[in-house]
Amino acid sequence: LSMCSKLCYAIGGAPNQVAGSAASFFLQIYLLDIAHITPFHASLVLFIGKASGAVTDPVAGFFISKSRWTKIGRLMPWVLACTPFTIVSYFFMWYLPPFASGRVAWYLTFHCLFQALTTLFQVPYSALTMFLSTDQKDRDSATAYRMTMEVLGTLIGASLQGQIVASAHVSPHCTVNPSLNTTDSWHDTPSIPDPSDPLSPQVIYMIAAGVIAGVYLLGIVVLFLGVKERDDPYALNSDRAIPFCKGLALTMKHGPYVKLTASFLLISTAVQLEQGNFVLFCTHAAGLRNHFQYLVVTILVSAAVSVPFWQKFLQRFGKKCAACGISWMIPFAVMLVTIPNLILAYFVAFISGLSIAASLLLPWSMLPDVVDNFRLQNPHGKGHETIFYSSYVFFTKMSAGIGLGISAAGLEFTGYKPGICRQSDDVILTLKLLIGAVPAILILLGLFILLFYPITEESRKETKLALEELR
């Protein structure tokens, strides 16, 4: 693969991360503090939205696996067709409708649409890795390019959104008059922003949505113009596509895949909890209301610059060994929760970025090895790649949706109230648990399961030689 092809492929995945990052970091606080819906309803929006995306994964895998080859490939038409609808649904997800009674239904509808459409993009795009080259090093290199650009996309999304909407969350009432920094200020009911005000939070969020929609469109154009999809290099003309249900059953029985998925669905849930609650934690529990956008940028810059380091690390020491880097965030996150300090917060943000980069790169680098292993055991079938990728995305999205839904419900249970300067001690404790203890437990469980992952560097080389013989 040429560097240009790898780069164009990587740029194509960035827009999804730009939009997803903005939603991960800011949608929960937007629903609570700008749209003024209750934490319980926010938890429903977050969970059902993620669940709709997760349910779409096997459906997308089913239809994509039955797609026929076209002049631009089998996967590329799906990527192109869903893009305009994804942009529209993303834009309206940040729109504040003039009616208050149906606001929850509005956000639920467009969040579900956005999650479902991003799935229709993500499944064929991620499976495209298998159709760029037959060489494992080429695929690993393309995955490293992709993850670098996706982390940069996450950085662009969070920093763009953070810098544009930061003023929407600065409260002079809280910063100018600290004596009112108590829960008693809840009695001053927060006012709904005036949509006609050019500086209203709603207008600010709409500007951010428009900018990110433009980035989305640009990335897809680069992907289409710069990447050529190849047909399955191992399949014979006589080979038939594996039926979806049969392929799904075989997938769920494939030991390496089950262990990889179980491990990283726990780890990705931990990362989603960190992302979804970090802004709330900085705003209400750590006294870092005016620094959250810079802390988010620090996390993502650290993640972006460390992806090449992790790629070199896993090439030299192996992919399972590189997983140890995911655990680095645990002690520092616990320190931030117990000792909230500005300098420590930036240090924690930097270390967390290193760990997040490892957690993003490793599963997508290991999944092609699992697919190759499966191909070796089932040499006369084809079309199973989309089944692997769609079911993996399904499990990680479902687990993340459950985690975010439970976290928002926990805030409702402990009495979170939007628009006040200081939350109750129970809410602050809940945010500390969601940032510190819960992700730590999930990461440790995920790494423990990964110890039993059977594909080693030696077995990868053996699989590569066997597939070359087959080809």
Side-chain angles (χ1 to χ4, degrees), residues 69-78 80 224 227-229:
W69 184 265
T70 67
K71 291 182 179 179
I72 59 173
R74 186 166 59 92
L75 302 174
M76 192 67 78
W78 287 88
L80 297 177
F224 175 67
V227 174
K228 182 180 179 182
E229 180 184 346

Side-chain angles (χ1 to χ4, degrees), residues 167-307:
S167 60
H169 298 286
V170 174
S171 173
H173 172 68
C174 296
T175 56
V176 175
N177 192 352
S179 63
L180 295 176
N181 195 29
T182 65
T183 53
D184 292 336
S185 59
W186 168 248
H187 297 298
D188 297 326
T189 303
S191 59
I192 304 297
D194 180 9
S196 63
D197 181 3
L199 297 177
S200 70
Q202 176 204 339
V203 174
I204 292 171
Y205 267 95
M206 291 298 292
I207 292 171
V211 171
I212 289 176
V215 173
Y216 212 113
L217 191 60
L218 179 64
I220 302 303
V221 170
V222 171
L223 174 69
F224 175 67
L225 296 178
V227 174
K228 182 180 179 182
E229 180 184 346
R230 302 178 184 183
D231 205 355
D232 189 341
Y234 299 114
L236 302 172
N237 290 333
S238 58
D239 290 344
R240 292 187 175 184
I242 298 176
F244 183 82
C245 293
K246 179 183 177 182
L248 191 60
L250 290 172
T251 299
M252 294 300 104
K253 294 176 182 177
H254 194 59
Y257 179 73
V258 172
K259 292 180 177 68
L260 179 71
T261 304
S263 172
F264 278 99
L265 71 83
L266 292 171
I267 292 170
S268 66
T269 301
V271 173
Q272 285 284 335
L273 284 173
E274 292 274 359
Q275 286 185 337
N277 293 284
F278 186 76
V279 176
L280 282 169
F281 172 78
C282 291
T283 303
H284 298 297
L288 301 170
R289 180 185 296 270
N290 296 323
H291 295 273
F292 70 79
Q293 67 269 36
Y294 306 112
L295 289 168
V296 168
V297 170
T298 303
I299 291 173
L300 297 173
V301 168
S302 170
V305 299
S306 61
V307 169

Side-chain angles (χ1 to χ4, degrees), residues 336-347:
L336 178 61
V337 167
T338 54
I339 315 170
N341 175 276
L342 182 59
I343 297 175
L344 179 63
Y346 277 99
F347 186 65

Side-chain angles (χ1 to χ4, degrees), residues 114-183:
F114 173 71
Q115 291 293 338
L117 289 165
T118 52
T119 294
L120 287 176
F121 172 92
Q122 188 67 24
V123 171
Y125 171 77
S126 55
L128 193 58
T129 309
M130 301 301 299
F131 300 96
L132 298 176
S133 172
T134 59
D135 187 77
Q136 286 183 350
K137 288 184 178 179
D138 264 351
R139 293 204 305 257
D140 285 348
S141 178
T143 300
Y145 271 79
R146 171 193 160 194
M147 297 319 300
T148 302
M149 290 305 301
E150 287 195 356
V151 173
L152 283 173
T154 304
L155 168 62
I156 292 169
S159 56
L160 268 178
Q161 187 89 354
Q163 294 300 321
I164 295 173
V165 309
S167 60
H169 298 286
V170 174
S171 173
H173 172 68
C174 296
T175 56
V176 175
N177 192 352
S179 63
L180 295 176
N181 195 29
T182 65
T183 53

